[in-house]
Amino acid sequence: STQSRSSAASDVYKRQALVEEEVFAKAGMTSASMRVDDILASGNYAYGHEGNANSPRVVAPDGSYFDTGDYGPMGGAWGSVVDLAHWAEAHMADEDPLGKGLMKSLRTPQIRTTYGGQSYGLGHFIQDTIPASISHGGSTVGFLTDFTIYPESGFGVVVLSNSEWFDPSEIGRMAADKYLSLIHISEPT
């Protein structure tokens, strides 16, 4: 019925607003949003590219997919590379911007994965190698994202790609390898 669809839409909006107020705003993610309609209205977004480099198809964000109650909770957030850099900073901050130890709970292993040395926390993969890392990637039609932080080294790398044929984690790994090798080189004696 129309009334039940309206009620469901209202519930989705309330959940989106809660994430924006209690997570994004507190982590300093000032342009992040759960509502693709807000992103489209702002005009401040990149177009994605799907297919391959030889015959790409340009795609714009589309609320019909992202604003659903199914997709939104697992990754329907839109933001900039600066927003994700603030998210990385929030993980490495001395004080928990979300309060009540919530940032630490995101990084606390909940279950071991089938990948060697890796666990899954609340929305993050935790690699217990040296140096330890916390990461998560994202993808949707036309876009790929990679987010990795190395808390003990105070280093994080965020790479966004508006194409489906380029894996941003490659750049992230190269940047991390270069930076981490530089900071762990001992001084000459």
Side-chain angles (χ1 to χ4, degrees):
S1 79
T2 303
Q3 185 177 13
S4 62
R5 278 193 303 267
S6 176
S7 177
S10 175
D11 289 344
V12 168
Y13 179 81
K14 288 176 186 174
R15 288 191 300 270
Q16 292 169 333
L18 181 67
V19 169
E20 291 172 0
E21 293 165 13
E22 296 298 321
V23 178
F24 297 166
K26 290 181 178 181
M29 300 167 68
T30 57
S31 64
S33 178
M34 294 293 292
R35 295 179 288 253
V36 81
D37 290 343
D38 289 351
I39 299 298
L40 292 172
S42 76
N44 187 16
Y45 58 87
Y47 284 86
H49 298 83
E50 68 175 345
N52 61 58
N54 296 325
S55 60
R57 185 175 78 82
V58 177
V59 292
D62 179 357
S64 66
Y65 178 62
F66 301 112
D67 282 343
T68 67
D70 296 329
Y71 182 80
M74 72 171 185
W78 285 86
S80 68
V81 70
V82 172
D83 289 319
L84 285 176
H86 285 303
W87 185 240
E89 290 170 338
H91 276 283
M92 293 186 281
D94 290 334
E95 293 189 26
D96 184 343
L98 303 183
K100 301 178 185 173
L102 292 175
M103 291 303 291
K104 183 178 180 184
S105 70
L106 297 174
R107 302 184 305 266
T108 301
Q110 302 296 318
I111 190 166
R112 294 294 283 175
T113 70
T114 57
Y115 303 107
Q118 191 176 74
S119 298
Y120 194 72
L122 299 177
H124 295 82
F125 291 98
I126 300 131
Q127 189 74 35
D128 59 9
T129 55
I130 297 175
S133 66
I134 298 158
S135 65
H136 197 91
S139 65
T140 191
V141 178
F143 299 91
L144 296 170
T145 301
D146 186 63
F147 164 90
T148 305
I149 59 172
Y150 302 85
E152 294 168 9
S153 302
F155 177 74
V157 62
V158 174
V159 183
L160 307 178
S161 172
N162 64 334
S163 70
E164 294 180 346
W165 57 85
F166 177 78
D167 181 2
S169 64
E170 292 176 30
I171 287 181
R173 277 191 296 277
M174 288 189 297
D177 288 347
K178 182 68 170 177
Y179 179 81
L180 295 171
S181 69
L182 292 174
I183 66 168
H184 292 294
I185 295 173
S186 60
E187 293 291 320
T189 56

